[in-house]
């Protein structure tokens, strides 16, 4: 059985978080209506970016650091 290295787990986590961001922004765009929401749509996108893309960036950076140290 192949040994999975730790940096690959961080890369996979970053990809999954970025994919979740894309899917949830698409769902928000279908559910968004101007008459029901007082905030503009970019506020929802910004909130999703803070929740999903910030940890994805951190996971990617940690994975990159671990990848360099494993070489």
């Amino acid at each position: 059985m192949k040994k999975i290295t730790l940096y690959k787990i961080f890369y996979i986590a970053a990809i999954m978080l970025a994919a979740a961001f894309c899917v949830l922004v698409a769902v928000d765009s279908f559910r968004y209506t101007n008459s029901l929401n007082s905030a503009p749509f970019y506020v929802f996108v910004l909130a999703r970016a803070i929740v999903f893309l910030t940890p994805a960036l951190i996971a990617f950076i940690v994975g990159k650091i671990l990848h360099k140290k494993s070489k």
Side-chain angles (χ1 to χ4, degrees), residues 28-66:
D28 284 344
S29 71
F30 286 120
R31 293 190 330 182
Y32 182 80
T33 57
N34 286 336
S35 60
L36 295 178
N37 297 327
S38 61
F41 182 68
Y42 71 86
V43 173
F44 292 99
V45 175
L46 184 62
R48 295 282 187 199
I50 292 170
V51 170
F52 288 103
L53 293 183
T54 305
L57 181 64
I58 292 170
F60 182 78
I61 291 171
V62 169
K64 198 70 150 166
I65 291 170
L66 290 175

Side-chain angles (χ1 to χ4, degrees), residues 5 7 11 63-71:
T5 51
Y7 73 90
Y11 283 156
K64 198 70 150 166
I65 291 170
L66 290 175
H67 184 71
K68 285 185 179 182
K69 287 191 177 199
S70 69
K71 285 186 178 181

Side-chain angles (χ1 to χ4, degrees), residues 1-9 12 66-67 69-71:
M1 188 168 175
K2 284 180 110 176
K3 179 184 166 189
I4 186 161
T5 51
L6 191 59
Y7 73 90
K8 289 180 184 178
I9 294 172
I12 291 169
L66 290 175
H67 184 71
K69 287 191 177 199
S70 69
K71 285 186 178 181

Side-chain angles (χ1 to χ4, degrees), residues 10-22:
F10 280 103
Y11 283 156
I12 291 169
I15 290 169
M16 290 176 67
L17 284 167
F21 168 76
C22 294

